[in-house]
Amino acid sequence: MSKFLMIPAIFTVISISSISTSASATELKCGCYAPVESQIAAGNPTSGFNLNCESNDRFTTTGKSVSVQKSYLKVYVNDSNAVQDDEDMSIKFRSRNKQKFHEAYDKTDGKILWSGGGFNENDIDDTTEINVDGFKISEKNDGTWVTLFRGNANKKVYDGLVLFYDLGDGKKTMTALCLQDD
């Protein structure tokens, strides 16, 4: 089945996602799969988050690496994690000002997956890029899959999520990578 033929199914699944109407929902900046970005933003598939697809972070081909950044943190999902056939994934974190990246936290199962760093005498983190394994991917009742994460960089906490669509045959493809807006 071609990717073109799967697009209508993606539209259907994402558009029936529950809509969060909470005024206090956390705003997330997202890199979204272009053919479905309006449905991703409208659907708010994860309670408590407003997803905002950014045109400069749009991607047009699934299965490719994607990154999103804010003031002090950049997150990156590589090609091998953009298409999943299991229930865990890796996310790369990078402190944008090359100072203290404190921790990576899996909000899906409530575990700190990475903490610490190699700080030198100038308080600069020697480990500016950290690839963290073990983030859980959980199925939502609307046919989408999501990984919830938190990164703490330069004493600022950023929540985020990775949204997947089920391709069948046990595979899922990333449709959005989102990071908390400042």
Side-chain angles (χ1 to χ4, degrees), residues 7 27 56 80 83 111 120 132 176:
I7 290 173
E27 298 289 323
N56 61 324
S80 64
V83 176
K111 292 183 181 178
N120 63 29
V132 182

Side-chain angles (χ1 to χ4, degrees), residues 127-142:
T127 314
T128 58
E129 288 192 350
I130 298 102
N131 192 50
V132 182
D133 297 324
F135 289 94
K136 299 299 177 205
I137 304 170
S138 62
E139 184 173 15
K140 297 298 180 186
N141 61 3
D142 63 2

Side-chain angles (χ1 to χ4, degrees), residues 11-174:
F11 284 136
T12 302
V13 171
I14 293 173
S15 67
I16 63 171
S17 300
S18 63
I19 297 176
S20 172
T21 57
S22 170
S24 64
T26 301
E27 298 289 323
L28 298 183
K29 172 188 173 184
C30 303
C32 297
Y33 178 49
V36 296
E37 66 185 336
S38 62
Q39 288 76 17
I40 291 169
N44 289 315
T46 303
S47 179
F49 293 115
N50 287 327
L51 307 183
N52 300 302
C53 294
E54 301 285 325
S55 60
N56 61 324
D57 290 321
R58 176 183 297 137
F59 56 100
T60 58
T61 305
T62 59
K64 300 293 183 186
S65 61
V66 175
S67 66
V68 175
Q69 60 190 12
K70 290 309 297 171
S71 298
Y72 296 111
L73 184 64
K74 179 176 185 175
V75 293
Y76 176 82
V77 174
N78 65 22
D79 296 4
S80 64
N81 284 282
V83 176
Q84 290 289 323
D85 59 2
D86 58 12
E87 276 72 47
D88 65 348
M89 69 175 299
S90 297
I91 300 172
K92 184 182 283 188
F93 295 84
R94 181 170 67 86
S95 176
R96 293 195 62 220
N97 63 355
K98 298 187 179 183
Q99 295 206 2
K100 296 185 179 183
F101 180 77
H102 299 284
E103 68 184 10
Y105 181 80
D106 184 341
K107 291 183 66 177
T108 303
D109 70 0
K111 292 183 181 178
I112 293 176
L113 298 178
W114 185 89
S115 182
F119 299 104
N120 63 29
E121 65 276 356
N122 296 322
D123 210 20
I124 303 295
D125 188 347
D126 292 332
T127 314
T128 58
E129 288 192 350
I130 298 102
N131 192 50
V132 182
D133 297 324
F135 289 94
K136 299 299 177 205
I137 304 170
S138 62
E139 184 173 15
K140 297 298 180 186
N141 61 3
D142 63 2
T144 59
W145 293 72
V146 68
T147 295
L148 301 170
F149 65 88
R150 176 173 283 166
N152 183 339
N154 200 36
K155 299 180 183 175
K156 171 121 175 80
V157 175
Y158 292 90
D159 285 326
L161 67 83
V162 184
L163 183 64
F164 292 91
Y165 172 74
D166 193 341
L167 295 173
D169 296 334
K171 293 190 178 187
K172 303 169 275 300
T173 189
M174 180 174 59

